[in-house]
Amino acid sequence: MANRNRAAQLPTDDTSNPYFLHPSDNPGIILVPQQLTGSNYVAWSRSFSTALLAKNKLVFVDGSILRPARDDLLYQPWIRCNSMVISWLRNSVSPQICSSIMYLDDAYAIRYDLKERFSTCDPTRIYQLMQQLMSLSQGSSDVNTYFTNLRIV
């Protein structure tokens, strides 16, 4: 019952409300410049989280706002926002990865699935990173370029 009262007090035109959708928000928006391909999960995740935070929608993928009961007044706004975030997620991953999440209907479940698959420690990737780090030298690069390359590895 408290949830119902809260929903009545939070108008959908309140821009600070996570259920607010701006008129320019649409399912075709691409929020991050680089698609998730698997090996770039950490950079993609940070970019995507930042974009969702700016849109006040991070709560739909971090588990802060879970699907309300069907009779809850927030159910329909949650469905709309969750669907929008799912569209943004699908637009930000490679076609192959998209096909693997196509039938998940909860943005939190999709984000959890992607995190479980792509953020795990891979001994091969760790070895590759160590090799890149060991072979990195400043050479003819200026200090800023060398430092940037060092941070990228």
Side-chain angles (χ1 to χ4, degrees):
M1 190 64 148
N3 232 2
R4 289 176 193 237
N5 291 336
R6 187 175 67 134
Q9 295 170 359
L10 295 175
T12 57
D13 60 349
D14 177 6
T15 59
S16 66
N17 183 338
Y19 292 102
F20 172 80
L21 287 172
H22 190 273
S24 67
D25 288 338
N26 68 72
I29 292 176
I30 297 173
L31 295 182
V32 292
Q34 189 176 43
Q35 286 189 331
L36 173 64
T37 58
S39 61
N40 64 340
Y41 176 79
V42 173
W44 172 87
S45 179
R46 290 199 38 92
S47 293
F48 196 78
S49 293
T50 301
L52 285 181
L53 187 60
K55 290 192 162 289
N56 200 19
K57 300 293 180 274
L58 187 62
V59 294
F60 290 93
V61 298
D62 72 3
S64 298
I65 295 182
L66 299 175
R67 181 187 306 255
R70 283 189 178 270
D71 63 344
D72 192 308
L73 292 175
L74 290 175
Y75 181 76
Q76 286 304 319
W78 184 90
I79 289 292
R80 281 184 35 243
C81 290
N82 180 68
S83 296
M84 189 68 71
V85 173
I86 287 173
S87 295
W88 295 338
L89 276 162
R90 289 179 184 157
N91 292 339
S92 72
V93 300
S94 71
Q96 181 182 15
I97 294 171
C98 185
S99 67
S100 74
I101 60 172
M102 186 56 66
Y103 297 103
L104 295 174
D105 62 355
D106 185 308
Y108 174 71
I110 291 172
R111 185 65 182 272
Y112 182 81
D113 177 75
L114 295 174
K115 184 177 181 182
E116 285 295 304
R117 276 197 280 166
F118 299 114
S119 72
T120 58
C121 286
D122 178 4
T124 304
R125 179 71 178 137
I126 292 171
Y127 178 76
Q128 289 171 344
L129 290 171
M130 293 298 286
Q131 289 297 326
Q132 287 176 353
L133 190 58
M134 296 297 285
S135 67
L136 190 63
S137 69
Q138 183 174 350
S140 62
S141 300
D142 60 55
V143 172
N144 289 330
T145 303
Y146 174 69
F147 182 71
T148 300
N149 290 337
L150 186 63
R151 299 244 355 215
I152 291 172
V153 174

